[in-house]
């Protein structure tokens, strides 16, 4: 595989939810490869369908591994958002125990699929009522999760979130220090834009701990489902900060498919081509913004 996809030689992936859910994961691999990406990021979320991946059979895993080999492709990372339903800082001890069980299953799945990084949603709690011990429980649970991640030799990393609890790199570094290390940073550029007063300083501060970035557009109070260019994230400036800090880590283009972009009246090949074109356009936007950052630096 050639890694010469951008001037900075970034490894660029696509979030699997950018591709219509009516395609199988094997088909998503083929679509992402056709669109010129280096890898795909797998989702394990709160839906029954995606949560069930933690119990994939060896046959199901083998089918995915075969597709990866045949297409010279990777699943470099997993977005593990199932913990929103079973948060690390829950007031209920049984929920916290469930969060650890989920984590171990995710680590085993990552090991079997060759996934290098598991991105964790850094929420103390999500749906449940706020309580005074949520951060304390979050840190205690994360210490156990770090222990497991070391056991399986998988990198775990916090996403910068759409809430103040973990909205900035400074805040993630504070949580990391409180846990005692062993967890890294996987910032979301769109979320960082919403909460960071000095984004350049934040990126410099976290440069040694950052293992990947999510590339996503946002607006105040709107954190998902925006087309690139509809939001106000200044990607050119963000790229300049990253280039100046000499950070060379993977990027995942985070976007979500739109049901109207799947035509149920036409054939598989036509819909396949539509999906390829949509995510290729997003990749083109990424590369355009990166090129402009390079040009502005002379």
């Amino acid at each position: 595989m050639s890694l010469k996809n951008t001037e900075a030689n970034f490894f660029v992936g696509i979030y699997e939810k950018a591709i219509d859910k009516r395609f199988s994961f094997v088909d998503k691999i083929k679509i992402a490869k056709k669109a010129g990406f280096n890898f795909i990021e797998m989702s394990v979320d709160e839906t029954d369908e995606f949560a069930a991946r933690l119990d994939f059979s060896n046959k199901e895993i083998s089918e995915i591994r075969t597709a990866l080999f045949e297409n010279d492709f990777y699943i470099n990372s997993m977005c593990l958002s199932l913990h929103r339903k079973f948060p690390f800082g829950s007031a209920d001890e049984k929920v916290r125990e469930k969060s650890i069980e989920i984590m171990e299953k995710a680590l085993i799945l990552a090991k079997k699929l060759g996934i290098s990084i598991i991105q964790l949603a850094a929420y103390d709690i999500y749906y449940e009522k706020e309580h005074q011990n949520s951060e304390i429980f979050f840190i205690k649970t994360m210490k156990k999760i770090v222990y497991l991640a070391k056991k399986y030799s998988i990198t775990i990393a916090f996403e910068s979130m759409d809430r103040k609890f973990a909205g900035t790199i400074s805040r993630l570094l504070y949580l990391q220090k409180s846990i005692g290390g062993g967890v890294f940073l996987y910032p979301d550029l769109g979320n960082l834009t919403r909460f960071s007063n000095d984004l350049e300083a934040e990126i410099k501060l976290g440069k040694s701990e950052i293992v990947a970035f999510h590339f996503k557009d946002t607006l105040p109070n709107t954190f998902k489902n925006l087309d690139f260019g509809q939001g106000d994230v200044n990607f050119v400036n963000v790229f300049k900060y990253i280039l100046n800090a000499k950070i060379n880590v993977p990027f995942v283009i985070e976007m979500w498919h739109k049901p109207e972009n799947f035509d149920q009246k036409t054939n598989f090949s036509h819909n396949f081509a539509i999906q390829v074109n949509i995510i290729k356009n997003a990749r083109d936007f990424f590369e355009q913004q990166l090129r402009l950052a390079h040009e502005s630096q002379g």
Side-chain angles (χ1 to χ4, degrees):
M1 172 185 288
S2 172
L3 300 184
K4 295 179 180 179
N5 45 41
T6 68
E7 293 177 74
N9 204 27
F10 289 129
F11 205 48
V12 184
I14 187 71
Y15 185 44
E16 76 157 289
K17 289 186 180 181
I19 303 169
D20 196 281
K21 63 182 179 181
R22 281 162 283 203
F23 287 96
S24 70
F25 194 81
V26 168
D27 289 331
K28 290 176 180 179
I29 289 170
K30 296 175 181 177
I31 289 168
K33 174 71 175 185
K34 184 73 173 177
F37 287 91
N38 299 120
F39 67 93
I40 191 167
E41 181 167 86
M42 174 180 276
S43 169
V44 176
D45 66 13
E46 302 166 78
T47 64
D48 291 341
E49 178 187 1
F50 281 21
R53 291 173 168 179
L54 297 179
D55 296 305
F56 265 164
S57 67
N58 285 337
K59 181 181 178 182
E60 289 170 309
I61 289 170
S62 179
E63 287 174 353
I64 293 173
R65 285 173 60 92
T66 298
L68 292 171
F69 285 126
E70 289 179 347
N71 290 276
D72 190 20
F73 211 62
Y74 304 94
I75 310 171
N76 194 62
S77 49
M78 176 195 300
C79 179
L80 181 58
S81 57
L82 177 54
H83 282 124
R84 291 195 303 188
K85 190 175 180 180
F86 302 97
F88 306 133
S90 175
D92 187 335
E93 184 178 2
K94 290 183 178 179
V95 172
R96 299 197 303 273
E97 289 173 353
K98 180 68 174 179
S99 75
I100 295 170
E101 177 188 327
I102 288 167
M103 192 72 236
E104 184 155 27
K105 284 187 173 185
L107 289 163
I108 292 169
L109 178 62
K111 199 74 174 172
K112 290 182 176 181
L113 288 173
I115 295 172
S116 300
I117 303 169
I118 297 180
Q119 184 195 59
L120 301 178
Y123 296 116
D124 52 345
I125 52 176
Y126 193 77
Y127 296 113
E128 71 179 70
K129 186 179 179 180
E130 291 184 10
H131 62 93
Q132 64 182 5
N133 292 320
S134 62
E135 184 174 317
I136 294 171
F137 288 154
F138 175 90
I139 291 167
K140 286 183 176 180
T141 306
M142 275 304 307
K143 287 181 177 181
K144 296 177 182 178
I145 283 172
V146 165
Y147 182 83
L148 281 176
K150 288 181 178 179
K151 172 184 174 180
Y152 291 101
S153 299
I154 301 292
T155 297
I156 56 172
F158 284 142
E159 180 179 15
S160 56
M161 305 311 300
D162 53 3
R163 295 185 180 182
K164 289 184 178 180
F165 179 79
T168 64
I169 287 174
S170 296
R171 179 64 181 169
L172 293 178
L173 289 171
Y174 161 78
L175 293 171
Q176 180 197 58
K177 183 178 180 181
S178 300
I179 292 161
V183 58
F184 295 86
L185 312 187
Y186 191 149
D188 181 305
L189 299 179
N191 294 347
L192 282 182
T193 297
R194 302 276 63 91
F195 294 106
S196 302
N197 294 324
D198 186 338
L199 191 49
E200 183 175 15
E202 286 281 295
I203 289 171
K204 286 180 180 178
L205 189 65
K207 63 183 266 185
S208 65
E209 303 301 310
I210 293 170
V211 295
F213 286 105
H214 262 176
F215 183 87
K216 182 187 74 179
D217 215 348
T218 58
L219 285 169
N221 302 313
T222 304
F223 291 92
K224 61 188 297 186
N225 293 318
L226 285 174
D227 291 335
F228 288 108
Q230 286 187 334
D232 62 7
V233 176
N234 190 328
F235 291 111
V236 174
N237 278 349
V238 173
F239 272 135
K240 286 195 290 185
Y241 304 153
I242 292 168
L243 293 170
N244 288 338
K246 297 185 175 4
I247 300 172
N248 187 21
V249 297
F251 281 80
V252 171
I253 294 178
E254 187 178 27
M255 53 189 285
W256 289 263
H257 74 85
K258 297 178 180 179
E260 61 267 27
N261 289 330
F262 188 96
D263 188 350
Q264 299 187 60
K265 297 179 182 178
T266 190
N267 59 30
F268 175 89
S269 297
H270 181 72
N271 278 310
F272 185 100
I274 290 173
Q275 299 296 309
V276 168
N277 188 58
I278 290 170
I279 63 173
K280 184 180 182 301
N281 287 341
R283 183 187 173 87
D284 289 344
F285 177 82
F286 173 95
E287 294 188 344
Q288 176 205 46
Q289 299 297 294
L290 178 57
R291 186 170 58 253
L292 290 171
H294 274 290
E295 291 172 354
S296 69
Q297 290 182 311

